[in-house]
């Protein structure tokens, strides 16, 4: 159906009859008139010239100025921000770092810049080994297995590095600290891990974790590491206790042996020193006797050189004296002329002290 069939003087969209630009004549609208009316409305809205403006145009300009001032005030208010004590702010422009802000009131350009404040005095903690058995089981240096649960405490020391270099700080700290703990436990004996060297292990893990985070420029300070619990797995706890008891017995036995050693060794050393002194004294005595004998021989030799017969006879008599002094024989001279002399042997033996072997040249 064509639009002419809707009625004699109606258009295709049902509007009323069209009229010309200047009068009430029918026909298409006047385009020039429509443009002129639009220009007049635009000028009146922004206070432009045009002969017919008047007081109403001036009032519209003031309203727009006030609105602009309000908008500027709101914008300036939004540009100022405050960083509280213990916090530090990071200002970014289109995602790139512009500056960091210390506590106080600061200014930045909104909306091209944004600011994010972070508490840097707060001590944060990360727990390792509490979530699953796989996470806490570690192999020791003497090939034993222990369950280690510990916490890592840390603070932010560089907020810009902290925000831009770490995607997930908690995950990063947890992964690095767990690796450091496994490294330290892997070269430590189980007895030291469980009982005697917890403090040393905590400090070593802290240093390794801090060194790795610094290499990543993470902006984090590890304040301390706390081993909450280290124990053998439940499945081998009884066997582990038996081993600990056996090791305690071994240590006690070694201690008793050391006490016995400390008692015996000094006594042996005293006896050895005494024997050494006695040997030194014997040596000195033998040397002195030998030197005396040599001196005596030299003196006899000198006398022998002067009178050989006399000296020879003297030596003979002295030797015979020594040889016969131990016998009970009495030697007499045959020059008696066949007369048997009277020999009071009892008296002679008494005078000679029982030896009765002194030669008596007079009988």
């Amino acid at each position: 159906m064509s639009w002419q069939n809707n009625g004699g003087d109606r258009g295709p969209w049902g509007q009323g009859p069209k009229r010309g630009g200047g009068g009430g004549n029918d026909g298409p609208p006047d385009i020039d008139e429509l443009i002129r009316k639009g220009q007049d409305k635009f000028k009146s809205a922004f206070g432009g010239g045009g002969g017919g403006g008047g007081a109403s145009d001036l009032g519209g300009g003031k309203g727009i100025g006030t609105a602009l001032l309000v908008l500027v005030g709101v914008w300036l208010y939004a540009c100022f921000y405050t960083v509280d004590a213990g916090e530090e702010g990071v200002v970014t422009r289109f995602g790139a770092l512009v500056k960091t802000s210390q506590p106080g009131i600061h200014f930045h350009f909104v909306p091209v810049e944004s600011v994010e404040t972070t508490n840097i005095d707060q001590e944060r903690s990360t727990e390792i080994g509490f979530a699953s058995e796989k996470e806490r089981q570690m192999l020791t240096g003497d090939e034993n297995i222990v369950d280690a649960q510990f916490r890592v405490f840390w603070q932010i020391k560089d907020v810009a590095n902290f925000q831009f270099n770490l995607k997930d700080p908690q995950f990063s700290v947890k992964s690095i600290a767990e690796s450091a703990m496994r490294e330290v436990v892997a070269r430590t004996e189980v007895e030291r891990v469980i009982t005697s060297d917890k403090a040393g292990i905590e400090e070593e893990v802290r240093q390794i974790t801090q060194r790795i985070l610094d290499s990543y420029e993470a902006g984090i300070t590890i304040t301390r590491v706390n081993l909450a619990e280290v124990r053998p797995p439940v499945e081998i706890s009884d066997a582990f206790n038996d081993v600990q008891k056996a090791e305690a017995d071994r240590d006690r036995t070694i201690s008793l042996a050391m006490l016995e050693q400390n008692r015996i060794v000094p006594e042996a050393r005293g006896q050895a020193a005494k024997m050494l002194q006695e040997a030194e004294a014997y040596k000195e005595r033998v040397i002195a006797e030998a030197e005396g004998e040599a001196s005596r021989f030299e003196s006899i030799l000198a006398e022998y050189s002067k009178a050989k017969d006399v000296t020879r006879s003297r030596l003979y008599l002295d030797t015979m004296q020594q040889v016969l002094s131990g016998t009970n024989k009495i030697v007499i001279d045959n020059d008696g002329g066949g007369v048997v002399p009277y020999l009071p042997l009892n008296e002679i033996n008494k005078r000679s002290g029982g030896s009765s072997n002194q030669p008596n040249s007079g009988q």
Side-chain angles (χ1 to χ4, degrees):
M1 181 182 293
S2 62
W3 62 273
Q4 286 87 355
N5 296 330
N6 294 333
D9 54 353
R10 299 183 65 88
W13 296 278
Q15 67 269 36
K18 298 178 176 135
R19 292 184 296 181
N25 298 330
D26 296 336
D30 189 350
I31 301 301
D32 294 336
E33 184 179 0
L34 292 176
I35 293 174
R36 182 179 55 79
K37 289 180 178 179
Q39 289 176 346
D40 292 341
K41 291 181 179 179
F42 182 80
K43 291 178 180 179
S44 62
F46 291 94
S56 60
D57 292 342
L58 184 58
K62 288 183 178 179
I64 292 173
T66 303
L68 289 176
L69 289 176
V70 171
L71 289 176
V72 170
V74 172
W75 178 76
L76 288 175
Y77 178 78
C79 287
F80 286 96
Y81 65 96
T82 301
V83 178
D84 296 332
E87 293 182 342
E88 193 167 337
V90 175
V91 180
T92 57
R93 182 182 301 144
F94 303 117
L97 176 65
V98 176
K99 63 180 180 180
T100 59
S101 303
Q102 301 301 317
I105 299 175
H106 303 273
F107 179 85
H108 70 298
F109 292 97
V110 175
V112 295
E113 293 180 351
S114 61
V115 61
E116 182 176 354
T117 59
T118 304
N119 190 332
I120 60 174
D121 284 348
Q122 178 185 0
E123 186 180 53
R124 296 166 171 81
S125 67
T126 301
E127 295 183 342
I128 299 103
F130 294 88
S132 65
E133 181 177 339
K134 181 180 179 181
E135 186 179 279
R136 61 175 174 266
Q137 285 191 345
M138 300 183 183
L139 184 65
T140 64
D142 49 0
E143 297 183 353
N144 288 294
I145 297 177
V146 295
D147 287 348
Q149 297 174 327
F150 63 102
R151 295 180 177 86
V152 179
F153 296 89
W154 51 278
Q155 285 182 307
I156 300 172
K157 67 177 180 180
D158 190 321
V159 67
N161 288 338
F162 177 77
Q163 291 192 1
F164 284 90
N165 294 339
L166 292 180
K167 182 179 180 180
D168 188 345
Q170 284 284 356
F171 178 77
S172 299
V173 172
K174 181 178 181 179
S175 300
I176 295 172
E178 181 181 349
S179 299
M181 181 62 76
R182 290 187 183 278
E183 175 188 345
V184 175
V185 171
R187 47 186 164 83
T188 308
E189 296 180 353
V190 63
E191 189 274 337
R192 291 179 55 202
V193 175
I194 293 179
T195 58
S196 63
D197 198 21
K198 281 188 175 181
I201 292 173
E202 291 171 349
E203 176 60 21
E204 193 170 359
V205 171
R206 188 195 68 79
Q207 293 178 0
I208 294 174
T209 306
Q210 184 67 64
R211 184 171 62 250
I212 296 175
L213 288 172
D214 290 344
S215 67
Y216 292 157
E217 296 183 351
I220 290 176
T221 297
I222 303 297
T223 56
R224 55 196 169 100
V225 175
N226 182 23
L227 272 169
E229 185 177 8
V230 182
R231 56 178 172 79
V234 178
E235 295 82 359
I236 62 171
S237 60
D238 293 339
F240 182 82
N241 293 332
D242 292 340
V243 172
Q244 293 295 312
K245 184 178 179 181
E247 290 181 351
D249 293 340
R250 179 199 62 188
D251 295 340
R252 184 172 58 256
T253 303
I254 291 175
S255 299
L256 293 175
M258 293 298 293
L259 291 175
E260 190 69 12
Q261 178 186 3
N262 294 334
R263 185 183 64 82
I264 293 176
V265 170
E267 292 180 0
R269 287 177 178 172
Q271 293 178 357
K274 181 181 178 181
M275 294 175 66
L276 184 61
Q277 291 178 354
E278 291 176 352
E280 289 291 337
Y282 176 75
K283 182 183 74 173
E284 295 294 334
R285 181 173 61 82
V286 170
I287 292 174
E289 289 178 355
E291 290 178 351
E293 291 292 334
S295 176
R296 178 173 173 273
F297 177 79
E298 289 177 353
S299 62
I300 293 174
L301 180 60
E303 296 299 328
Y304 179 78
S305 300
K306 295 177 183 178
K308 294 183 179 179
D309 294 337
V310 175
T311 304
R312 186 181 296 113
S313 299
R314 178 65 181 273
L315 291 174
Y316 174 77
L317 293 175
D318 290 343
T319 303
M320 294 304 293
Q321 175 70 28
Q322 294 177 1
V323 172
L324 298 177
S325 62
T327 64
N328 55 0
K329 302 295 183 182
I330 298 174
V331 180
I332 60 175
D333 191 0
N334 291 328
D335 294 338
V339 178
V340 178
Y342 169 72
L343 296 176
L345 296 179
N346 293 331
E347 295 296 331
I348 293 173
N349 289 334
K350 290 180 181 178
R351 289 199 298 268
S352 61
S355 60
S356 68
N357 53 2
Q358 294 294 329
N360 190 353
S361 58
Q363 297 185 9

